[in-house]
Amino acid sequence: MYPFKFEPLLKQTLWGGDKIIPFKHLNESLERVGESWEISGVDDNESVVADGPDKGLTLTQLVRRHREELVGEDNYSAFGEKFPLLIKFIDAKQDLSIQVHPDDVLAKRRHNSFGKTEMWYVVDADKNAKLRSGFSHEIDATEYKERVKNNTITDVLQEYEIHPGDVFFLPAGRVHSIGAGSFIAEIQQTSDITYRIYDFNRKDANGQTRELHTELAKDAINYEVLNDYRTKYDRVKDEPVELVACPYFTTSVYDLTEEVTCDYSDLDSFVILICVEGSCNLIDNEGNKVSLQAGETILYPALTEEITIMPSEEGVKILETYV
């Protein structure tokens, strides 16, 4: 089997910016593009194969055709034809809403859906760009509701100035918000369920405020307080560095100036490579050779045993993720 690239799903949003289209080298004139869904199996928002013998197939159709050979035996047994990960680029020109996502149990009961655990990798950030993740001190559900009502919920959230390469892991239940000037790669469970807690009393083009989900969010929030919500890692070159390992995905970063060969012969999963900087050529054990540049994402089937990454002279930075 060969590796798959997909047509991006571009999402115009109230808070979107102008960075995604040039970053992905697209010939588009859309404004306020807040998200590019790179690989998605979300209902009514499925990725479509961009080229090759399976061109035009949706991601679900691709899984249906190739089954375990594409996603791996354990993944196919667990998820069937539903692809388990959603990959995005996010460009925030304005602050996103304060929000939270339900876990698997709550999402299944309320929406018949997966929960939404996710991670952020900061691709780029404007000067003084910030994001919010987790509580700065302990509150309970009663105080939460009161703070939403009196517009002080941001006072009890931890805020971080961000820079390229910063990583945040966001288990379901953690209150968070992406701030203005943030450009992020997001890896998450396949879910589009978001409970909007606070939206800065912002109005849309019709002068309407957006719906808040105060009650739904109340029972989804994990109210624990941590000392630090950032994910720390050693920034070394020319070898994989693991960023996040959780039940839903494992993600590493490769910051390469030299050729590296990745051995997946013992891995029972597809592998997704997300290029966040530079460019490279990739060749797998079956001889499939493809190029990858910043803004592109590629899916390798579970049958792939080996991938050699050959960076360009400028180097390449890649996120690798699998289940």
Side-chain angles (χ1 to χ4, degrees):
M1 287 178 68
Y2 65 102
F4 300 94
K5 291 184 180 180
F6 298 87
E7 301 289 348
L9 295 167
L10 302 178
K11 305 286 186 177
Q12 292 176 285
T13 64
L14 183 67
W15 42 263
D18 55 8
K19 297 176 182 176
I20 284 177
I21 287 174
F23 179 70
K24 291 183 60 59
H25 311 281
L26 300 177
N27 184 24
E28 296 278 357
S29 57
L30 296 176
E31 297 180 347
R32 298 196 323 275
V33 176
E35 299 183 349
S36 174
W37 290 22
E38 298 290 291
I39 299 181
S40 167
V42 174
D43 293 342
D44 300 321
N45 284 276
E46 290 191 53
S47 295
V48 174
V49 179
D51 50 30
D54 292 309
K55 181 179 179 179
L57 291 185
T58 66
L59 185 54
T60 297
Q61 290 170 334
L62 193 68
V63 177
R64 186 177 301 144
R65 174 174 290 185
H66 297 293
R67 300 165 60 96
E68 298 93 338
E69 294 182 348
L70 179 67
V71 298
E73 292 183 5
D74 287 348
N75 286 332
Y76 191 75
S77 176
F79 304 108
E81 294 174 358
K82 177 65 73 174
F83 194 79
L85 294 185
L86 172 58
I87 310 297
K88 300 178 181 178
F89 289 115
I90 298 175
D91 173 24
K93 190 171 185 177
Q94 301 177 26
D95 288 348
L96 274 67
S97 61
I98 308 298
Q99 56 191 243
V100 72
H101 308 300
D103 63 15
D104 285 344
V105 174
L106 195 57
K108 180 67 175 178
R109 175 160 58 84
R110 286 180 173 174
H111 311 282
N112 193 31
S113 169
F114 299 137
K116 190 173 176 184
T117 286
E118 59 190 10
M119 66 165 285
W120 296 331
Y121 178 92
V122 179
V123 178
D124 199 7
D126 293 349
K127 186 178 181 180
N128 300 321
K130 297 178 181 179
L131 54 78
R132 298 180 177 95
S133 178
F135 290 110
S136 57
H137 63 267
E138 189 171 338
I139 67 170
D140 58 17
T142 300
E143 183 178 349
Y144 149 74
K145 289 181 65 176
E146 184 62 28
R147 285 186 174 277
V148 171
K149 184 178 179 180
N150 64 27
N151 300 321
T152 63
I153 189 66
T154 58
D155 294 347
V156 293
L157 297 179
Q158 191 66 261
E159 190 172 78
Y160 295 93
E161 186 172 311
I162 56 171
H163 305 90
D166 287 350
V167 173
F168 290 81
F169 175 60
L170 301 150
R174 183 166 295 168
V175 176
H176 60 271
S177 174
I178 297 173
S182 306
F183 191 93
I184 284 170
E186 182 175 271
I187 297 164
Q188 59 160 93
Q189 289 177 269
T190 293
S191 169
D192 197 28
I193 299 171
T194 295
Y195 297 151
R196 191 179 299 117
I197 293 171
Y198 180 66
D199 199 37
F200 309 97
N201 297 316
R202 181 165 39 193
K203 292 181 171 59
D204 63 19
N206 298 316
Q208 302 295 314
T209 56
R210 296 196 293 174
E211 180 185 5
L212 301 181
H213 309 106
T214 307
E215 284 296 325
L216 289 172
K218 176 173 67 72
D219 298 327
I221 292 171
N222 183 337
Y223 292 92
E224 74 172 341
V225 176
L226 303 181
N227 291 330
D228 193 349
Y229 296 91
R230 291 170 293 196
T231 298
K232 296 180 173 62
Y233 66 98
D234 294 327
R235 302 193 185 197
V236 299
K237 289 185 177 292
D238 299 319
E239 62 182 76
V241 178
E242 186 174 275
L243 304 177
V244 172
C246 71
Y248 306 106
F249 50 81
T250 297
T251 302
S252 298
V253 64
Y254 290 75
D255 186 359
L256 302 180
T257 59
E258 301 174 356
E259 182 177 303
V260 168
T261 297
C262 309
D263 183 359
Y264 300 115
S265 57
D266 292 330
L267 180 67
D268 181 33
S269 173
F270 59 86
V271 174
I272 295 170
L273 301 180
I274 308 157
C275 188
V276 296
E277 187 178 313
S279 62
C280 64
N281 288 317
L282 305 167
I283 187 165
D284 64 22
N285 55 286
E286 294 188 15
N288 298 300
K289 187 174 183 179
V290 295
S291 62
L292 195 69
Q293 63 179 344
E296 290 188 313
T297 303
I298 193 165
L299 170 65
Y300 277 88
L303 283 182
T304 304
E305 295 185 354
E306 189 177 272
I307 301 171
T308 297
I309 306 171
M310 297 168 283
S312 63
E313 288 186 6
E314 64 182 342
V316 71
K317 193 172 291 184
I318 290 172
L319 298 178
E320 168 207 76
T321 193
Y322 55 81
V323 176

